[in-house]
Amino acid sequence: MELLNGTPTDQAPADPTATDDMLATQPVGYWCGLTQAAVTRHLRDAMARIDVTQPQYWVLNRVNGGPAAPSREEVVAQLTHLADGPHEIARVVDQLLHRAWLRTDDRQCLHLTDAGEAARIRLRELATEVRAEVHQGISDEEYAAALKVLRRMVANVERGRAPDSPS
């Protein structure tokens, strides 16, 4: 296969044991998927040890993160694309209301309780600890370079895609 920059390369099958000199032929989708699965599993396992889920952390951050208190519908609409299914975020809101980490006001907007804010802060600390584990041996420059490459790949594949075309 001839690449746009004129460098010949071939697409090799995914190989978790590929040596450094073979990496240029490895499928990026495989490695991105493997990375996402491993990092997500590691973070969720750490959160499970303190009886919290990643979607609960998303909701706590979203309720805390805006200039105005969001409604349940706003939180669901803004986070559903991250979730494992269309009903997960609504269930998480119910869980957090039941735990008394969220409360609603007379307009049915969501607010963190003191316990919810304490949980959000603890989860942020935990996420920072997990990030440090994941980034061990990787400089900020290397990390930024990797993300720039991935961002460019996304732009490359989305450039020619029509807005309504299937993925």
Side-chain angles (χ1 to χ4, degrees):
M1 176 193 319
E2 186 76 20
L3 295 181
L4 295 178
N5 65 5
T7 306
T9 190
D10 189 17
Q11 180 68 52
D15 181 1
T17 64
T19 59
D20 287 356
D21 62 325
M22 298 168 52
L23 289 178
T25 66
Q26 287 291 291
V28 68
Y30 168 79
W31 287 98
C32 287
L34 192 66
T35 302
Q36 184 202 6
V39 171
T40 300
R41 183 177 51 252
H42 185 66
L43 177 62
R44 288 181 175 187
D45 287 350
M47 288 180 170
R49 287 191 285 277
I50 60 171
D51 193 29
V52 181
T53 67
Q54 187 181 31
Q56 289 172 338
Y57 183 42
W58 298 336
V59 170
L60 292 172
N61 277 328
R62 173 54 199 98
V63 170
N64 181 68
S71 68
R72 171 193 197 93
E73 293 75 22
E74 290 170 325
V75 170
V76 168
Q78 291 170 357
L79 297 177
T80 293
H81 74 282
L82 299 171
D84 290 335
H87 307 291
E88 181 177 28
I89 299 302
R91 289 182 191 122
V92 166
V93 170
D94 289 338
Q95 291 167 346
L96 296 177
L97 287 165
H98 178 75
R99 268 191 183 186
W101 287 3
L102 292 180
R103 66 173 178 80
T104 57
D105 62 21
D106 56 350
R107 297 182 344 246
Q108 297 304 302
C109 290
L110 298 169
H111 300 270
L112 293 180
T113 63
D114 289 343
E117 176 61 6
R120 188 191 67 76
I121 289 169
R122 173 64 188 113
L123 285 164
R124 182 180 177 108
E125 291 168 354
L126 178 64
T128 300
E129 292 167 12
V130 169
R131 182 186 189 284
E133 290 174 37
V134 170
H135 290 237
Q136 190 171 18
I138 301 167
S139 70
D140 287 346
E141 294 78 19
E142 290 172 308
Y143 180 74
L147 293 186
K148 286 178 185 179
V149 168
L150 293 172
R151 187 168 53 189
R152 177 63 181 265
M153 289 179 178
V154 169
N156 287 346
V157 298
E158 289 187 346
R159 185 177 327 130
R161 208 171 109 192
D164 292 339
S165 67
S167 302

